[in-house]
Amino acid sequence: MTLAERARADLQWAAAYWPDLYGQRLPGATPAPFRRPRLTAEERDERDHEAFLERLDRTADAIGASPAPVRVPMLDIITDLLADIVWLADELGLALACPVLSPPSTGLADARPWLTYALARLAEPGVSYELALWAYEQTRALVATIARALALTFDGQALDVVCPWCRGVTPETPAGGAMTWRVRDLLARHDCVHGHPDRRFCHECPQQVVIVCESGWCEPPSKDVGTWWRGCPCWPLYEWDWLAKRVRDSSEERTTT
């Protein structure tokens, strides 16, 4: 596939998933799976300080918190994506000397007309390699943002588990307790040969899914791990049942001691 074809595939994928993304703005929609944010010690301290200052501002007469009628974080994602898509469509239209579309009426307008417009522009015979490369960089970021918002990819997902070997010891948490396990597809960065914009969303491409302890300090005995990836111990899919039992046993040991 050429770069222009890859960018077009990205845009088609984004258009297909836009209704799902738009529906996530409502509290009644089925939420995407929760993923624990990976915060540094400095980010946690900053959040704690902001919460402390907010509590200082509260008085007995202050209005209490109430749930928003929409999911505000999802609204932010939708409006930011819409702005990026409109900008992409306008830049392609200007570069190819084509009339551009009128701007959206609101920040929550349907982005698919601009996605369709960009698709048509990338099919123009005058698309240069440089323009196609630039467009592909933008569409890659677009796909990644939508995939994260809808939890369509598990690669990099953090597991709510403390490693039974390193006990969650990291440079940021020397006392342990950090969630250091991540689900990884070791082949995720390879290109899809079936025409999909992202290999992780292709059901035909083979996957090599593992759990990796990314503490940087984890060294299980050889009998407990037979595979390593980038210097980190990892456990393939067929070992997950054994791994779950090992975590349960470790948790029971900590409880009884």
Side-chain angles (χ1 to χ4, degrees):
M1 297 177 67
T2 65
L3 287 175
E5 290 171 339
R6 289 176 181 268
R8 282 173 53 83
D10 283 351
L11 293 172
Q12 290 171 334
W13 184 92
Y17 278 101
W18 187 263
D20 297 322
L21 182 70
Y22 193 69
Q24 287 291 318
R25 78 194 191 285
L26 300 176
T30 301
F34 171 76
R35 291 183 179 177
R36 183 182 298 274
R38 191 175 185 180
L39 302 177
T40 64
E42 291 77 10
E43 289 171 334
R44 284 195 298 270
D45 290 343
E46 182 178 351
R47 289 192 177 190
D48 290 343
H49 181 63
E50 290 175 355
F52 172 74
L53 293 178
E54 182 179 351
R55 288 194 298 270
L56 288 179
D57 290 337
R58 287 197 173 275
T59 66
D61 299 325
I63 299 175
S66 60
V70 292
R71 291 176 178 157
V72 177
M74 192 59 65
L75 286 183
D76 292 339
I77 292 174
I78 292 172
T79 53
D80 289 345
L81 283 172
L82 177 63
D84 292 341
I85 292 168
V86 171
W87 174 67
L88 170 64
D90 287 349
E91 290 298 314
L92 288 173
L94 293 173
L96 296 168
C98 297
V100 299
L101 299 180
S102 301
S105 56
T106 70
L108 295 176
D110 189 347
R112 285 175 292 183
W114 287 270
L115 290 169
T116 302
Y117 177 89
L119 269 167
R121 299 290 74 76
L122 287 169
E124 299 278 354
V127 176
S128 64
Y129 173 83
E130 290 76 13
L131 183 61
L133 176 61
W134 173 82
Y136 183 57
E137 291 173 349
Q138 312 311 312
T139 59
R140 283 285 73 199
L142 177 66
V143 165
T145 302
I146 295 176
R148 284 194 300 269
L150 295 177
L152 293 176
T153 175
F154 53 79
D155 186 51
Q157 179 179 353
L159 300 181
D160 192 8
V161 175
V162 175
C163 178
W165 290 281
C166 69
R167 306 294 186 185
V169 174
T170 68
E172 293 79 17
T173 56
M179 308 300 178
T180 58
W181 280 10
R182 301 288 179 272
V183 179
R184 296 291 185 190
D185 180 1
L186 304 188
L187 302 177
R189 295 190 178 183
H190 293 215
D191 290 334
C192 173
V193 296
H194 304 101
H196 291 268
D198 195 312
R199 187 182 184 282
R200 294 170 293 180
F201 311 136
C202 178
H203 298 295
E204 300 178 72
C205 284
Q207 298 176 339
Q208 191 172 348
V209 181
V210 299
I211 290 176
V212 184
C213 181
E214 300 183 355
S215 71
W217 302 76
C218 193
E219 294 187 4
S222 58
K223 66 181 180 64
D224 290 337
V225 59
T227 308
W228 294 77
W229 179 67
R230 295 181 178 177
C232 299
C234 63
W235 297 268
L237 189 60
Y238 62 83
E239 293 183 341
W240 286 9
D241 288 340
W242 172 86
L243 191 60
K245 183 178 183 302
R246 184 67 179 82
V247 170
R248 288 194 300 270
D249 292 344
S250 176
S251 178
E252 292 172 359
E253 291 173 4
R254 290 199 302 271
T255 304
T256 56
T257 56

